[in-house]
Amino acid sequence: MVGMSTVHHEALGHLLAPPLLITGMSGAGLSTAAKVFEDRGWFVAHNLPPQLMLELVEMCRADTSPVRHLAIVTDVRARMFPGSMMETLATLRDRGVAPTILFLDARKDALMKRFDSVRRTHPLQGGDTLSQGIDREREMLGDIKEDADISIETSDLSVHDLRRRIEGAFGDSVAQDAHVTVQSFGFKHGAPRDSDLTVDVRFLPNPFWVPELRDQRGVDRPVADFVLSQPQAQEFIDNFLTMFNSMQAGFRHEGKNSLTISIGCTGGHHRSVAIAEEVGRRLRDQGGLSVNVIHRDIAR
Protein backbone atom coordinates (compact mmCIF):
# COMPACT_ATOMS: atom_id res chain seq x y z
CA MET A 1 0.00 0.00 0.00
CA VAL A 2 1.32 3.40 -0.99
CA GLY A 3 0.72 6.50 1.10
CA MET A 4 -1.83 9.09 0.00
CA SER A 5 -0.73 12.01 -2.14
CA THR A 6 -0.99 15.46 -0.58
CA VAL A 7 -1.37 18.98 -1.88
CA HIS A 8 -1.37 22.35 -0.16
CA HIS A 9 -4.94 23.40 0.65
CA GLU A 10 -4.72 26.78 -1.10
CA ALA A 11 -4.09 24.99 -4.40
CA LEU A 12 -7.54 23.44 -4.11
CA GLY A 13 -9.52 26.60 -3.64
CA HIS A 14 -12.61 25.86 -1.57
CA LEU A 15 -11.94 22.13 -0.96
CA LEU A 16 -10.39 21.33 2.42
CA ALA A 17 -8.74 18.15 1.12
CA PRO A 18 -7.71 16.70 -2.23
CA PRO A 19 -10.67 15.13 -4.05
CA LEU A 20 -10.82 11.36 -3.94
CA LEU A 21 -11.20 9.09 -6.96
CA ILE A 22 -12.61 5.66 -6.10
CA THR A 23 -12.10 3.15 -8.88
CA GLY A 24 -11.20 -0.47 -9.49
CA MET A 25 -12.62 -3.74 -10.68
CA SER A 26 -16.38 -4.13 -10.97
CA GLY A 27 -17.51 -6.25 -8.02
CA ALA A 28 -14.50 -5.34 -5.90
CA GLY A 29 -16.49 -3.17 -3.47
CA LEU A 30 -16.79 0.29 -5.05
CA SER A 31 -20.31 0.80 -3.68
CA THR A 32 -19.22 -0.21 -0.18
CA ALA A 33 -16.30 2.21 -0.33
CA ALA A 34 -18.57 5.00 -1.52
CA LYS A 35 -20.91 4.43 1.41
CA VAL A 36 -18.04 4.78 3.90
CA PHE A 37 -17.46 8.31 2.68
CA GLU A 38 -21.15 9.15 2.27
CA ASP A 39 -21.74 8.14 5.89
CA ARG A 40 -19.09 10.65 6.94
CA GLY A 41 -20.69 13.55 5.10
CA TRP A 42 -18.64 13.53 1.90
CA PHE A 43 -20.29 14.48 -1.38
CA VAL A 44 -20.02 11.31 -3.48
CA ALA A 45 -20.70 11.28 -7.23
CA HIS A 46 -21.08 8.04 -9.17
CA ASN A 47 -19.96 7.14 -12.70
CA LEU A 48 -19.44 10.61 -14.12
CA PRO A 49 -18.03 10.94 -17.65
CA PRO A 50 -14.51 12.47 -17.64
CA GLN A 51 -15.66 15.93 -18.74
CA LEU A 52 -18.29 16.11 -15.99
CA MET A 53 -15.66 15.06 -13.45
CA LEU A 54 -13.62 18.11 -14.39
CA GLU A 55 -16.66 20.37 -14.14
CA LEU A 56 -17.71 18.93 -10.77
CA VAL A 57 -14.26 19.50 -9.25
CA GLU A 58 -14.32 23.12 -10.43
CA MET A 59 -17.81 23.61 -8.98
CA CYS A 60 -16.67 22.23 -5.62
CA ARG A 61 -13.66 24.54 -5.57
CA ALA A 62 -15.87 27.63 -5.90
CA ASP A 63 -16.14 29.86 -2.84
CA THR A 64 -19.93 29.40 -2.84
CA SER A 65 -19.76 25.59 -2.87
CA PRO A 66 -21.21 23.78 0.18
CA VAL A 67 -19.01 20.76 -0.51
CA ARG A 68 -16.05 20.29 1.80
CA HIS A 69 -15.02 16.77 0.84
CA LEU A 70 -15.53 15.26 -2.61
CA ALA A 71 -15.27 11.64 -3.76
CA ILE A 72 -15.92 10.46 -7.31
CA VAL A 73 -16.66 6.81 -8.01
CA THR A 74 -15.86 5.69 -11.54
CA ASP A 75 -15.72 2.33 -13.28
CA VAL A 76 -15.50 1.08 -16.84
CA ARG A 77 -18.98 2.40 -17.71
CA ALA A 78 -17.59 5.95 -17.73
CA ARG A 79 -15.22 4.91 -20.53
CA MET A 80 -18.06 4.95 -23.05
CA PHE A 81 -17.60 8.73 -23.12
CA PRO A 82 -14.74 10.62 -24.80
CA GLY A 83 -11.57 11.23 -22.76
CA SER A 84 -9.60 8.67 -20.83
CA MET A 85 -9.30 8.60 -17.06
CA MET A 86 -5.54 9.15 -17.26
CA GLU A 87 -6.10 12.24 -19.43
CA THR A 88 -8.65 13.53 -16.93
CA LEU A 89 -6.21 13.05 -14.06
CA ALA A 90 -3.49 14.83 -16.00
CA THR A 91 -5.82 17.78 -16.63
CA LEU A 92 -6.68 18.01 -12.93
CA ARG A 93 -3.03 17.97 -11.97
CA ASP A 94 -2.28 20.69 -14.51
CA ARG A 95 -4.91 22.78 -12.72
CA GLY A 96 -3.16 22.29 -9.38
CA VAL A 97 -5.49 19.56 -8.13
CA ALA A 98 -3.87 16.31 -6.99
CA PRO A 99 -6.59 13.71 -6.48
CA THR A 100 -6.06 10.77 -4.18
CA ILE A 101 -6.76 7.52 -6.06
CA LEU A 102 -8.24 4.57 -4.18
CA PHE A 103 -8.15 1.38 -6.26
CA LEU A 104 -10.12 -1.71 -5.23
CA ASP A 105 -9.07 -5.04 -6.66
CA ALA A 106 -9.96 -8.71 -6.20
CA ARG A 107 -8.96 -12.07 -7.62
CA LYS A 108 -10.86 -13.35 -10.64
CA ASP A 109 -12.38 -16.26 -8.71
CA ALA A 110 -13.73 -13.88 -6.05
CA LEU A 111 -15.16 -11.52 -8.68
CA MET A 112 -16.81 -14.38 -10.57
CA LYS A 113 -18.38 -15.69 -7.35
CA ARG A 114 -19.76 -12.24 -6.52
CA PHE A 115 -21.24 -11.74 -10.00
CA ASP A 116 -22.75 -15.23 -9.96
CA SER A 117 -24.28 -14.69 -6.51
CA VAL A 118 -26.22 -11.61 -7.63
CA ARG A 119 -26.85 -12.87 -11.20
CA ARG A 120 -25.35 -9.75 -12.73
CA THR A 121 -23.71 -9.39 -16.12
CA HIS A 122 -20.25 -7.85 -16.17
CA PRO A 123 -20.31 -4.43 -17.93
CA LEU A 124 -17.66 -5.60 -20.43
CA GLN A 125 -18.98 -9.11 -20.91
CA GLY A 126 -21.16 -8.45 -23.92
CA GLY A 127 -21.91 -11.75 -25.65
CA ASP A 128 -18.83 -13.42 -24.18
CA THR A 129 -18.14 -15.12 -20.87
CA LEU A 130 -17.91 -13.47 -17.47
CA SER A 131 -14.25 -14.47 -17.33
CA GLN A 132 -13.52 -12.64 -20.59
CA GLY A 133 -15.31 -9.51 -19.35
CA ILE A 134 -13.20 -9.46 -16.18
CA ASP A 135 -10.01 -9.93 -18.20
CA ARG A 136 -10.91 -6.99 -20.48
CA GLU A 137 -11.59 -4.74 -17.50
CA ARG A 138 -8.35 -5.66 -15.77
CA GLU A 139 -6.39 -4.80 -18.91
CA MET A 140 -8.20 -1.46 -19.29
CA LEU A 141 -7.54 -0.51 -15.66
CA GLY A 142 -3.86 -1.39 -15.66
CA ASP A 143 -2.58 2.18 -15.99
CA ILE A 144 -4.76 3.70 -13.29
CA LYS A 145 -3.98 0.82 -10.90
CA GLU A 146 -0.29 1.62 -11.33
CA ASP A 147 -1.07 5.28 -10.59
CA ALA A 148 -3.15 4.56 -7.46
CA ASP A 149 -2.17 6.05 -4.11
CA ILE A 150 -3.99 3.36 -2.12
CA SER A 151 -4.78 -0.14 -3.36
CA ILE A 152 -6.93 -2.56 -1.37
CA GLU A 153 -7.34 -6.23 -2.24
CA THR A 154 -10.89 -7.19 -1.25
CA SER A 155 -11.07 -10.88 -2.21
CA ASP A 156 -11.18 -12.12 1.38
CA LEU A 157 -12.76 -9.06 3.01
CA SER A 158 -16.34 -8.75 4.25
CA VAL A 159 -18.08 -5.42 3.81
CA HIS A 160 -17.25 -4.64 7.44
CA ASP A 161 -13.60 -5.58 6.94
CA LEU A 162 -13.42 -3.34 3.88
CA ARG A 163 -14.94 -0.45 5.79
CA ARG A 164 -12.32 -0.84 8.52
CA ARG A 165 -9.49 -1.05 5.98
CA ILE A 166 -10.64 2.20 4.37
CA GLU A 167 -11.01 3.93 7.72
CA GLY A 168 -7.54 2.76 8.68
CA ALA A 169 -6.04 3.96 5.39
CA PHE A 170 -7.64 7.40 5.48
CA GLY A 171 -7.49 8.04 9.21
CA ASP A 172 -8.75 11.43 10.32
CA SER A 173 -10.08 12.33 6.86
CA VAL A 174 -12.97 9.91 7.39
CA ALA A 175 -13.10 10.22 11.17
CA GLN A 176 -16.45 11.34 12.51
CA ASP A 177 -18.18 11.33 15.85
CA ALA A 178 -20.90 8.72 16.11
CA HIS A 179 -24.36 10.29 15.86
CA VAL A 180 -27.04 9.42 18.40
CA THR A 181 -30.67 10.52 18.20
CA VAL A 182 -32.60 10.24 21.46
CA GLN A 183 -36.33 10.46 20.89
CA SER A 184 -39.19 10.35 23.34
CA PHE A 185 -42.54 8.89 22.33
CA GLY A 186 -45.88 7.72 23.69
CA PHE A 187 -46.79 4.05 23.47
CA LYS A 188 -50.43 4.92 22.92
CA HIS A 189 -49.39 6.50 19.60
CA GLY A 190 -47.39 3.44 18.57
CA ALA A 191 -43.75 2.51 19.08
CA PRO A 192 -41.26 3.97 16.54
CA ARG A 193 -40.12 1.64 13.78
CA ASP A 194 -36.77 3.35 13.25
CA SER A 195 -35.22 2.57 16.63
CA ASP A 196 -32.02 0.71 17.36
CA LEU A 197 -32.82 0.64 21.08
CA THR A 198 -36.28 1.08 22.63
CA VAL A 199 -36.84 1.41 26.37
CA ASP A 200 -40.00 1.75 28.45
CA VAL A 201 -40.11 4.20 31.38
CA ARG A 202 -43.74 3.64 32.33
CA PHE A 203 -42.46 2.07 35.58
CA LEU A 204 -41.79 5.60 36.87
CA PRO A 205 -44.46 7.61 38.75
CA ASN A 206 -46.57 9.54 36.25
CA PRO A 207 -46.68 13.36 36.59
CA PHE A 208 -50.02 13.25 34.77
CA TRP A 209 -51.65 12.36 38.10
CA VAL A 210 -50.18 15.43 39.79
CA PRO A 211 -52.72 18.20 39.02
CA GLU A 212 -50.23 21.06 38.88
CA LEU A 213 -47.97 19.10 36.50
CA ARG A 214 -50.56 17.56 34.17
CA ASP A 215 -50.59 20.38 31.63
CA GLN A 216 -46.82 20.85 31.66
CA ARG A 217 -44.30 18.76 29.75
CA GLY A 218 -41.05 16.95 30.49
CA VAL A 219 -39.02 19.88 29.14
CA ASP A 220 -40.47 22.09 31.88
CA ARG A 221 -38.38 22.23 35.03
CA PRO A 222 -41.13 21.21 37.52
CA VAL A 223 -41.91 18.03 35.55
CA ALA A 224 -38.23 17.23 34.95
CA ASP A 225 -37.46 17.68 38.64
CA PHE A 226 -40.37 15.41 39.60
CA VAL A 227 -39.31 12.64 37.22
CA LEU A 228 -35.56 12.80 37.85
CA SER A 229 -35.97 13.02 41.62
CA GLN A 230 -37.33 9.47 41.66
CA PRO A 231 -34.60 7.09 42.93
CA GLN A 232 -35.44 4.52 40.27
CA ALA A 233 -35.03 7.17 37.55
CA GLN A 234 -31.38 7.81 38.32
CA GLU A 235 -30.70 4.10 38.71
CA PHE A 236 -32.32 3.44 35.33
CA ILE A 237 -30.29 6.15 33.57
CA ASP A 238 -27.03 4.94 35.12
CA ASN A 239 -27.70 1.34 34.11
CA PHE A 240 -28.88 2.28 30.63
CA LEU A 241 -25.79 4.39 29.90
CA THR A 242 -23.52 1.62 31.15
CA MET A 243 -25.22 -0.81 28.78
CA PHE A 244 -25.21 1.65 25.86
CA ASN A 245 -21.53 2.49 26.28
CA SER A 246 -20.64 -1.20 26.36
CA MET A 247 -22.44 -1.61 23.01
CA GLN A 248 -20.87 1.42 21.32
CA ALA A 249 -17.58 -0.22 20.39
CA GLY A 250 -19.45 -3.13 18.84
CA PHE A 251 -21.68 -0.84 16.81
CA ARG A 252 -18.67 1.10 15.52
CA HIS A 253 -16.83 -2.11 14.70
CA GLU A 254 -19.78 -3.22 12.56
CA GLY A 255 -19.81 0.11 10.72
CA LYS A 256 -22.96 1.48 12.37
CA ASN A 257 -22.20 5.12 13.01
CA SER A 258 -25.72 6.43 13.58
CA LEU A 259 -28.04 5.16 16.31
CA THR A 260 -31.56 5.98 17.45
CA ILE A 261 -32.59 5.49 21.07
CA SER A 262 -36.34 5.64 21.68
CA ILE A 263 -37.66 6.22 25.19
CA GLY A 264 -41.37 5.67 25.72
CA CYS A 265 -44.01 6.42 28.30
CA THR A 266 -47.80 6.39 28.00
CA GLY A 267 -48.50 9.62 26.14
CA GLY A 268 -45.00 10.93 25.33
CA HIS A 269 -45.51 14.12 27.35
CA HIS A 270 -43.80 13.76 30.71
CA ARG A 271 -41.63 10.83 31.78
CA SER A 272 -40.14 9.89 28.42
CA VAL A 273 -39.43 13.54 27.60
CA ALA A 274 -37.63 14.23 30.87
CA ILE A 275 -35.61 11.00 30.68
CA ALA A 276 -34.69 11.61 27.02
CA GLU A 277 -33.45 15.10 27.83
CA GLU A 278 -31.31 13.79 30.69
CA VAL A 279 -29.91 10.86 28.66
CA GLY A 280 -29.07 13.26 25.83
CA ARG A 281 -27.34 15.67 28.23
CA ARG A 282 -25.23 12.95 29.79
CA LEU A 283 -24.25 11.47 26.41
CA ARG A 284 -23.09 14.92 25.26
CA ASP A 285 -21.06 15.33 28.44
CA GLN A 286 -19.25 12.06 27.72
CA GLY A 287 -17.85 13.54 24.51
CA GLY A 288 -17.13 11.79 21.22
CA LEU A 289 -20.79 11.72 20.23
CA SER A 290 -23.01 14.00 18.18
CA VAL A 291 -26.33 13.94 20.06
CA ASN A 292 -29.76 15.13 18.97
CA VAL A 293 -32.84 14.97 21.22
CA ILE A 294 -36.33 15.03 19.72
CA HIS A 295 -39.81 14.55 21.19
CA ARG A 296 -42.13 12.82 18.76
CA ASP A 297 -45.42 13.14 20.62
CA ILE A 298 -44.92 16.09 22.93
CA ALA A 299 -47.50 18.22 21.09
CA ARG A 300 -50.17 15.53 20.73
Side-chain angles (χ1 to χ4, degrees):
M1 184 180 296
V2 180
M4 292 193 299
S5 62
T6 58
V7 65
H8 198 264
H9 286 179
E10 281 75 8
L12 289 173
H14 174 76
L15 288 176
L16 299 183
L20 172 67
L21 177 66
I22 303 172
T23 190
M25 297 293 292
S26 301
L30 302 186
S31 296
T32 297
K35 194 168 189 312
V36 173
F37 293 93
E38 287 174 341
D39 288 348
R40 274 122 182 103
W42 287 47
F43 183 86
V44 180
H46 295 260
N47 293 320
L48 293 182
Q51 183 58 41
L52 290 184
M53 288 177 55
L54 296 173
E55 294 179 10
L56 177 61
V57 170
E58 290 303 315
M59 289 173 60
C60 292
R61 295 177 68 192
D63 291 338
T64 56
S65 171
V67 176
R68 300 289 178 177
H69 296 281
L70 171 66
I72 300 172
V73 185
T74 183
D75 60 22
V76 291
R77 289 172 290 180
R79 294 170 182 265
M80 297 184 295
F81 296 89
S84 73
M85 183 55 58
M86 298 306 293
E87 291 171 348
T88 302
L89 289 170
T91 301
L92 287 172
R93 288 162 180 158
D94 287 343
R95 297 178 181 179
V97 179
T100 297
I101 303 173
L102 169 62
F103 190 94
L104 301 183
D105 201 355
R107 299 187 309 269
K108 179 188 279 191
D109 65 296
L111 294 174
M112 293 183 69
K113 183 177 180 180
R114 291 171 187 175
F115 273 98
D116 286 340
S117 68
V118 296
R119 300 182 183 275
R120 285 180 53 206
T121 300
H122 190 279
L124 294 184
Q125 182 173 341
D128 297 320
T129 66
L130 173 59
S131 176
Q132 289 172 308
I134 292 172
D135 289 341
R136 290 190 187 109
E137 182 178 35
R138 192 174 298 284
E139 182 177 357
M140 293 176 65
L141 295 177
D143 288 343
I144 195 165
K145 181 179 180 179
E146 288 295 320
D147 203 34
D149 299 288
I150 297 174
S151 183
I152 299 178
E153 220 285 348
T154 71
S155 300
D156 301 314
L157 300 182
S158 69
V159 292
H160 301 306
D161 292 333
L162 177 55
R163 176 182 290 270
R164 289 189 285 273
R165 286 286 298 275
I166 292 171
E167 291 173 344
F170 284 83
D172 291 342
S173 62
V174 292
Q176 183 188 46
D177 287 347
H179 178 79
V180 179
T181 296
V182 184
Q183 71 171 339
S184 67
F185 73 95
F187 277 100
K188 74 176 185 180
H189 302 298
R193 296 185 177 183
D194 58 350
S195 295
D196 298 292
L197 295 169
T198 301
V199 294
D200 185 347
V201 296
R202 287 177 293 185
F203 66 90
L204 295 172
N206 192 348
F208 180 84
W209 302 114
V210 179
E212 60 269 26
L213 300 179
R214 178 173 300 177
D215 293 332
Q216 298 187 58
R217 296 294 182 260
V219 291
D220 297 319
R221 176 52 56 191
V223 175
D225 287 345
F226 177 89
V227 173
L228 297 176
S229 67
Q230 308 300 321
Q232 56 267 56
Q234 293 301 324
E235 181 181 5
F236 163 77
I237 294 171
D238 290 341
N239 290 337
F240 175 78
L241 291 177
T242 298
M243 178 191 73
F244 177 77
N245 290 332
S246 72
M247 299 168 70
Q248 267 289 91
F251 279 129
R252 294 295 291 269
H253 187 266
E254 294 302 311
K256 190 167 183 58
N257 204 52
S258 181
L259 297 167
T260 298
I261 300 169
S262 295
I263 300 173
C265 62
T266 303
H269 292 168
H270 301 105
R271 292 166 291 182
S272 62
V273 173
I275 296 295
E277 288 285 338
E278 180 65 9
V279 168
R281 183 191 68 78
R282 289 178 60 172
L283 286 174
R284 291 190 193 98
D285 288 347
Q286 289 180 180
L289 293 173
S290 170
V291 182
N292 182 39
V293 179
I294 60 176
H295 303 299
R296 193 191 74 176
D297 300 324
I298 194 170
R300 292 197 181 192

